[in-house]
Structures are given as structure tokens and as C-alpha cells.
Amino acid sequence: HEYRSVLPLLRQMEAVAEEVLGGGKGIAEGGAGGGEWKLGAEVKLDYKSLDIPVDEHSVQDAEALRVLMSDGTSVKVYYRLNGRRLDIRMSTMLPTKTPSGFPSVTGLAAMYHETSLWETWHPTVVGKGPTELQKRRPCHNLWHIVTKLFLHKYAEMLEERVYYMPSCGVYMMTMDGKAADSEMWAQHPPQSGTKILPGSNHTKFVHITQEHTSVLGLMTTTVAAQALPEFIVKFIVSWMIPEVIRRMVRAGAETLKSGGPHWQAMQADEEGVYARCKELQTRAPEADKARGGTIFAPSKMPTPDVVKGRGGNLLVFEQAFGANAVSWLQVDPGERLLEASAQAAASGDDVDVAACWDEAEPPLPIELD
């Protein structure tokens, strides 16, 4: 049943929000992910050189402009090492509006979705980008990616999932690397001349589009086959990650220019990815108003509640009804939920059941494919 199949994905989605925005425990592989965060690098952002207008015309709110200029001019890279696990965390801020008419989140979405153009921003990718192992989809993809590190070519298998939540302005993505002992490698063997990466990489980010500015929280986890030596950690933290950031920022800026490498694909929008990005911008004012006008920034990132508190949260509905949830959904939702709300009020339950079902906006923030 569709309802039951989506619940694990929603739990995974909320776990990612907890990890990226709340300092959660993270994946269990390779240790608990504990330890103190250390500043590894800081990458300056020069909006002028990137042709990104940052003034009272592009950011039409004085307070948002002030916050952007004081807190959005660099990306600080933090890391923590625990045995064979390396966690890297960063956050940044950008103006939402761009001269292209697309919101800034579109650049991020395009860089990952247009797999044949990864070479424009990824410093170690071999060829143009990932090989797609299944038909391209807007919210779920499986890729092979070959990278070159220290004269060796390594193959990774990455599973990508994307979540859109227009009502709260959230765009989320996860890329989970498959370990060398995964059964999926038998079905999708690596390319000739490459070795399966002896470890796995996991990337997850949460992007919140607001009316005037947007913030991005990102966390990557590398689980190596053995404890990481200091020179490898230094290479990743002080060179590779800053270089990826610089290339992504430049590529993102180019993406949003008419005639840029991604422009034709964005205009065609065959999978509807970029229309979803525009919807995030369209609905940002109402989401901002619901949050009391708070302006998020790297020094004031949102909590996981920005995701977990979304309207139409099926996990809240599931918590309220448990094994009876499916039977409740199989009848008229309006009548049932009015009755459920009355029951909840009578029992003193603080769960607002009526908020769990919005017929105007189905409460599935992902696509089932």
C-alpha cells in the first residue's frame, strides 16, 4: 500500500533534517560520529566576481540585506574525525532572487540533476559525470560515478533521493554511497579499469528558500575501510572540499545565466525539477509569515522543526492512529478527521489531527516511483 511504503522514506527524511540541522547521531557505520567539530577551512564568497547582484534592488528587504552582507560572505567548513569516519559540515546563505528569473536553489538542483555536466564543478570526477543506472527521475536516481584520487580510478554507486516541501520552502537531497560489500554491485558492476571505492560517501543537505534570502546546510560523511591517516584528512578538508565549494559556487552562478551550460536543460525541464524550484520561491512569503518573519543565516540556522513541523505530516497522523491509520484513509477524510479531532479534544490529546490532512495539498512531500 502506498501509505505504508512512504512512511520509511518520511522517517529517513526527518532523520536527515535532524542530522544536518540538529547535530543528530548520523549513520551508524564506522562509529557514532562523536567528537568536537573543528574549523578546517573558510571559503570567501565574492558576489561581484560571480555576477550575483547583492543590493537593495535584488534583496528588497533592508534587514535581510544586512544579514546577508554580515553573515553570508563566506562558507566555513567544520570537520570531526572518529576512527574511519570523517564528518564535514558547512552552511551558507545566498540571495533568493536572480536576474534569470529562477530562484538561487535552481542552481544547486541543476548541478546535481544534470549529470552530464558534473565536470563543470566536481574536481575529481572522471568524464562528464555519473552514469545513470536507471531511467532519470525527479526524486529518485541511482548512479555510478568514477573519480580519480592519487592516480587511481574508483567507482562509487550513489543512490539519490530528493524531497520538495513547498509549504515550508524546503528542498532536501541525500546521496548514499553503497559499500563495497553491497549486493547491488552484483547487479551493477563497476566499469572496466576501475576499482570499487573501499568505503562509502554520504551527502545530505537541507535548503530553505525564503522570500529574500536562502540558506543551505550540508553534511558529508566518509566511512573509510580503515582509520583515515592525517594527510588524507588534510587533503579532503583543506583542499578538496574548499575546491568543490569554489567550483559549485561558480557553476551555480553560471547555471543561472541565460546561455549557461545548464540553461537549455532548465528551460526544457523534462522532469519538472525547475518548476518545483520556482514553486518554492512562489510560496516562500507565506512560509516566512508562518514562521514569524525569522531570517535564517549560517549563524542562525533553522531547527529540524522546519521539516518535522510541516503541514500534512503523515508521521504525526501515523502516531495518532497507528494500525488504524490505513482504515481511516480509506473513507472520506474530511468526515473522519472531524470526528478524530473531536475525539482527540475529548481525550486531552495535544495532536492536532485535522492539520495532518489537507485535501488542497496532498501530504506527500516526495514522489513515489
Side-chain angles (χ1 to χ4, degrees):
H1 190 280
E2 186 176 76
Y3 172 80
R4 289 295 178 201
S5 67
V6 80
L7 292 179
L9 297 179
L10 295 177
R11 292 189 181 99
Q12 179 190 56
M13 180 184 76
E14 292 197 357
V16 169
E18 190 70 41
E19 186 172 8
V20 175
L21 300 176
K25 295 179 180 179
I27 60 175
E29 294 180 83
E36 294 184 2
W37 289 97
K38 300 177 181 178
L39 180 62
E42 184 172 2
V43 181
K44 298 294 184 182
L45 298 179
D46 184 353
Y47 294 117
K48 186 176 181 180
S49 68
L50 295 168
D51 291 330
I52 297 177
V54 177
D55 52 35
E56 64 274 12
H57 300 293
S58 59
V59 183
Q60 297 176 346
D61 180 89
E63 180 60 13
L65 180 60
R66 184 195 67 78
V67 173
L68 177 62
M69 295 308 297
S70 64
D71 207 5
T73 57
S74 68
V75 181
K76 292 182 179 179
V77 180
Y78 293 90
Y79 75 99
R80 64 184 179 187
L81 180 64
N82 183 16
R84 58 191 184 91
R85 172 180 171 142
L86 174 65
D87 292 318
I88 295 174
R89 170 174 283 172
M90 65 195 81
S91 58
T92 190
M93 184 179 187
L94 290 168
T96 294
K97 297 177 182 178
T98 72
S100 69
F102 286 99
S104 54
V105 65
T106 314
L108 181 66
M111 283 190 291
Y112 281 98
H113 189 66
E114 305 304 332
T115 52
S116 64
L117 294 169
W118 274 39
E119 63 176 347
T120 63
W121 62 269
H122 198 297
T124 62
V125 70
V126 174
K128 293 185 177 297
T131 300
E132 296 171 350
L133 302 178
Q134 62 185 26
K135 182 181 178 181
R136 186 204 299 244
R137 299 170 180 175
C139 297
H140 184 209
N141 291 286
L142 187 66
W143 302 323
H144 270 168
I145 177 172
V146 177
T147 55
K148 189 172 184 179
L149 296 170
F150 306 113
L151 304 180
H152 295 288
K153 291 182 180 180
Y154 292 103
E156 291 184 79
M157 189 186 305
L158 297 174
E159 183 175 16
E160 180 213 40
R161 286 198 179 275
V162 177
Y163 307 85
Y164 295 88
M165 284 155 275
S167 63
C168 49
V170 172
Y171 165 78
M172 296 177 61
M173 192 197 76
T174 65
M175 288 195 302
D176 278 321
K178 304 304 177 183
D181 59 357
S182 169
E183 296 179 356
M184 295 180 70
W185 283 108
Q187 183 180 357
H188 303 289
Q191 299 176 17
S192 176
T194 65
K195 303 177 181 179
I196 296 177
L197 186 74
S200 58
N201 292 311
H202 308 261
T203 300
K204 51 284 251 194
F205 59 68
V206 182
H207 183 286
I208 299 94
T209 297
Q210 298 195 268
E211 182 176 7
H212 302 289
T213 54
S214 300
V215 292
L216 170 69
L218 183 147
M219 184 170 176
T220 67
T221 297
T222 296
V223 182
Q226 56 190 7
L228 290 165
E230 184 64 29
F231 81 95
I232 292 290
V233 174
K234 186 175 182 180
F235 167 77
I236 293 174
V237 173
S238 65
W239 182 82
M240 183 176 174
I241 295 299
E243 184 63 18
V244 167
I245 292 171
R246 294 186 190 99
R247 291 191 181 205
M248 288 185 71
V249 170
R250 286 197 299 267
E254 289 297 319
T255 296
L256 294 168
K257 291 180 181 178
S258 176
H262 298 75
W263 188 254
Q264 186 174 353
M266 289 165 56
Q267 293 293 322
D269 197 11
E270 293 182 1
E271 289 78 36
V273 168
Y274 310 117
R276 290 174 173 85
C277 292
K278 284 189 173 182
E279 185 180 6
L280 292 174
Q281 180 183 21
T282 299
R283 299 187 62 178
E286 67 180 81
D288 289 349
K289 184 178 180 180
R291 291 188 289 254
T294 299
I295 300 171
F296 299 128
S299 64
K300 190 179 182 180
M301 291 293 285
T303 69
D305 286 342
V306 74
V307 172
K308 298 167 76 172
R310 66 193 180 279
N313 188 339
L314 282 184
L315 295 180
V316 177
F317 183 83
E318 172 71 11
Q319 182 182 7
F321 291 100
N324 297 319
V326 173
S327 62
W328 282 92
L329 291 173
Q330 288 174 338
V331 297
D332 180 78
E335 180 181 345
R336 277 293 199 180
L337 286 173
L338 285 174
E339 179 183 346
S341 295
Q343 291 177 355
S347 64
D349 194 338
D350 62 357
V351 176
D352 183 2
V353 183
C356 301
W357 186 269
D358 181 356
E359 292 180 281
E361 180 183 338
L364 295 180
I366 60 174
E367 291 189 358
L368 298 175
D369 49 17

